[in-house]
Amino acid sequence: MKRKFLFALYQTPRGKLLQTMEAKYLKRCITVSCKQNQLQIGGLDWESEFVDCSLYRNYVILDGKGMGDAHALKVNAKAYSLPIQTESMDLVIIPHMLEFDAQRFRTMREVHRVLKPGGELVILNFNSLSLYVRFQFLWDKKVGESWRAHFMTRSRLSDWLKLLNFEILHTAEFGLDAFTITHGGFSAPIKALFSMAYGLKAVKRQYSLIPLTPATKGKTRLAAANIGLESNLQRTKQ
């Protein structure tokens, strides 16, 4: 999970603007209380712009290089094999990690495992249709060949979430100078042409199966009543 491209992009003028917009969006998405458990997969070193890790005592950052806010708890592990108890997290944030994760579907399964029923998931991804991101990617790839990115479309990520029983609450499109939020799903595809990245917030749904019990045949009182009525009629005739 090498993210040299991400931090190189944040150093550009538009990248710095993207970082500011993403920080505002993440700050809006974090609505859990300070006593709940939060997990961030991938350190950014600017977490202080959207969360006070000293206030959130159970804020955990998983990063192989130890990046992230100094006040947060650090875990050095693989995202596709989280050393975290099942259904113990209230919120999971994945900021630009799936594009650089060769085991990203296994990572999503692990995220589903550690989230509580009703837990929230926030994802930030680059827009695969953005010409600016594509140009920056090709330029940096000529400079260094040590990493590789896999940009994900909105439809593919949405299908993954449906398979894992996630419901999308709202999405965000990060444009050139502002971002827009759409509730219930992604906006029109035409807006994707003018955005550098997109984000979403989803909730884990857990549906309980109701066991079906076999129907038992009971004795009908109506038949017994008819038999008694016939016997009374025969007595009166006699």
Side-chain angles (χ1 to χ4, degrees), residues 67-124:
M67 298 184 62
D69 192 278
H71 295 92
L73 301 174
K74 303 291 182 60
V75 176
N76 187 350
K78 300 294 184 181
Y80 59 82
S81 182
L82 296 174
I84 297 175
Q85 187 178 1
T86 301
E87 296 184 356
S88 60
M89 289 293 165
D90 299 280
L91 173 67
V92 175
I93 302 175
I94 310 177
H96 296 292
M97 285 295 297
L98 297 179
E99 301 104 320
F100 309 99
D101 188 358
Q103 306 290 337
R104 51 194 177 277
F105 192 70
R106 291 177 60 186
T107 298
M108 290 295 296
R109 288 188 178 274
E110 279 292 276
V111 170
H112 179 270
R113 180 184 65 82
V114 302
L115 266 177
K116 297 179 180 178
E120 297 175 342
L121 171 65
V122 180
I123 299 177
L124 296 178

Side-chain angles (χ1 to χ4, degrees), residues 211-238:
L212 298 178
T213 57
T216 57
K217 295 182 179 180
K219 296 181 180 180
T220 58
R221 296 181 179 180
L222 181 60
N226 291 334
I227 295 174
L229 181 61
E230 291 177 357
S231 60
N232 291 333
L233 289 175
Q234 291 177 356
R235 291 176 182 178
T236 54
K237 290 179 179 181
Q238 294 174 355

Side-chain angles (χ1 to χ4, degrees), residues 163-226:
L163 289 174
L164 296 172
N165 290 331
F166 280 100
E167 178 186 352
I168 297 178
L169 300 179
H170 57 72
T171 61
E173 299 285 346
F174 299 98
L176 299 179
D177 56 355
F179 68 95
T180 58
I181 295 179
T182 304
H183 294 275
F186 287 103
S187 59
I190 190 63
K191 291 185 178 181
L193 298 175
F194 304 98
S195 62
M196 293 179 58
Y198 65 93
L200 64 86
K201 183 177 182 180
V203 60
K204 176 184 175 181
R205 300 299 187 190
Q206 184 169 344
Y207 304 98
S208 301
L209 297 177
I210 301 176
L212 298 178
T213 57
T216 57
K217 295 182 179 180
K219 296 181 180 180
T220 58
R221 296 181 179 180
L222 181 60
N226 291 334

